């Protein structure tokens, strides 16, 4: 455990749980929320060293953070993850669920094993994280899930992945209505092509260049671009609720 405290009379910060917070969009979101003054639980699945680097970056800047491992497809592990946030920081105000996997193949060629693995992580994992967030978020809180702009782009090879994210959108929009009267917002961020290891893996340069050219700005998004939307929904955007915020530079 790594934490960094402040003066005894310092105001208690808001607390964020960021799943998949060790790299890519999750890391950028954790760093951005910490810069906005939140204490952050950085969730990771397997790369402890990378998660610790995220924590170290936050604490070296004067923030509070702790790295915690959990299998987001395991109900008990997800419950324990949230309990750890409450033990460390006293409660949970923001949940950013970036953890997920992307396996690509034409629908007729995708193995059922890959399809099931992806849906177990992306759909079951989101369901479990959302359930804990709904039970534990304090008034004034925000839950931010992750969809994808591919649900609108209809790119060949993305059918299985887009289907899993369509389920995420459905859960997100319905949960926003189910939390009526709680003063908790529930939204999804839908990034376009973003320069993360998850996106870049296995793609030849010509494919990456072609996809980058889809946006009017003629580049891929950066994780920090997506973190801007996360910070908006986690902080000032109290009148944005039950929405999918497409963050793609105009690519869709």
């Amino acid at each position: 455990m790594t934490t960094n405290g402040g003066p005894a009379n310092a105001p208690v910060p808001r607390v964020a749980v960021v799943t998949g917070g060790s790299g890519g969009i999750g890391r950028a979101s954790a760093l951005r929320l910490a810069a906005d003054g939140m204490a952050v639980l950085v969730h990771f699945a397997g790369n402890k060293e990378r998660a610790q680097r995220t924590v170290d970056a936050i604490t070296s800047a004067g923030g509070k953070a702790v790295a915690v491992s959990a299998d987001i497809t395991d109900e008990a592990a997800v419950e324990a993850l949230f309990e750890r946030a409450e033990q460390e920081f006293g409660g949970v105000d923001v949940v950013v669920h970036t953890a997920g996997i992307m396996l690509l193949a034409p629908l007729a060629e995708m193995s059922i094993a890959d399809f099931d693995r992806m849906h177990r992580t992306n759909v079951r994992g989101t369901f479990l994280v959302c359930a804990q967030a709904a039970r534990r978020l304090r008034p004034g809180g925000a839950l931010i899930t992750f969809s994808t702009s591919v649900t609108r782009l209809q790119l060949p090879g993305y059918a299985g992945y887009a289907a899993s994210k369509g389920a995420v959108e459905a859960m997100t929009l319905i949960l926003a209505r189910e939390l009526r009267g709680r003063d908790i917002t529930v939204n999804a961020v839908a990034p376009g092509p973003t320069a993360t290891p998850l996106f870049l893996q296995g793609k030849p340069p010509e494919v990456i260049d072609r996809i980058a050219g889809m946006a009017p700005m003629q580049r891929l998004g950066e994780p920090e671009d997506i973190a801007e939307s996360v910070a908006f929904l986690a902080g000032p955007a109290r009148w944005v609720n039950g929405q999918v915020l497409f963050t793609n530079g105009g690519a869709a």
Side-chain angles (χ1 to χ4, degrees), residues 56-73:
D56 291 343
I58 291 171
T59 57
S60 66
K64 296 182 178 181
V66 60
V68 180
S69 176
D71 176 359
I72 63 164
T73 70

Side-chain angles (χ1 to χ4, degrees), residues 20-218:
S22 63
I25 292 171
R27 173 183 167 87
S29 298
L31 294 174
R32 176 55 196 271
L33 295 180
D36 288 346
M38 297 188 197
V40 184
L41 183 146
V42 178
H43 158 267
F44 67 98
N47 196 325
K48 182 177 181 178
E49 290 184 2
R50 192 170 64 174
Q52 190 59 49
R53 287 197 294 269
T54 303
V55 169
D56 291 343
I58 291 171
T59 57
S60 66
K64 296 182 178 181
V66 60
V68 180
S69 176
D71 176 359
I72 63 164
T73 70
D74 182 273
E75 184 176 13
V78 174
E79 183 177 7
L81 181 74
F82 278 77
E83 289 176 349
R84 180 69 180 277
E86 292 176 338
Q87 291 166 1
E88 291 285 338
F89 302 123
V92 179
D93 302 287
V94 174
V95 175
V96 182
H97 180 49
T98 76
I101 61 173
M102 180 170 63
L103 305 174
L104 303 180
L107 188 148
E109 299 173 16
M110 175 170 276
S111 71
I112 192 64
D114 281 352
F115 182 85
D116 285 347
R117 177 186 166 207
M118 186 160 52
H119 280 248
R120 179 176 175 83
T121 299
N122 295 355
V123 180
R124 177 186 170 99
T126 297
F127 175 87
L128 293 174
V129 170
C130 284
Q132 288 297 320
R135 295 166 189 161
R136 297 174 185 268
L137 279 168
R138 296 184 286 205
L143 167 60
I144 302 156
T145 63
F146 266 75
S147 180
T148 172
S149 289
V150 176
T151 58
R152 305 299 188 269
L153 289 170
Q154 294 92 41
L155 295 177
Y158 283 78
Y161 177 68
S164 75
K165 293 302 187 175
V168 169
E169 289 189 15
M171 283 189 283
T172 301
L173 303 188
I174 292 172
L175 182 57
R177 278 73 185 176
E178 291 180 344
L179 297 184
R180 174 183 294 272
R182 295 270 306 277
D183 189 23
I184 294 169
T185 62
V186 186
N187 295 286
V189 172
T194 305
T196 66
L198 179 70
F199 173 80
L200 297 173
Q201 183 178 5
K203 293 183 176 69
E206 60 271 19
V207 171
I208 294 172
D209 290 343
R210 176 175 57 80
I211 295 174
M214 295 170 62
M217 294 182 182
Q218 297 184 306

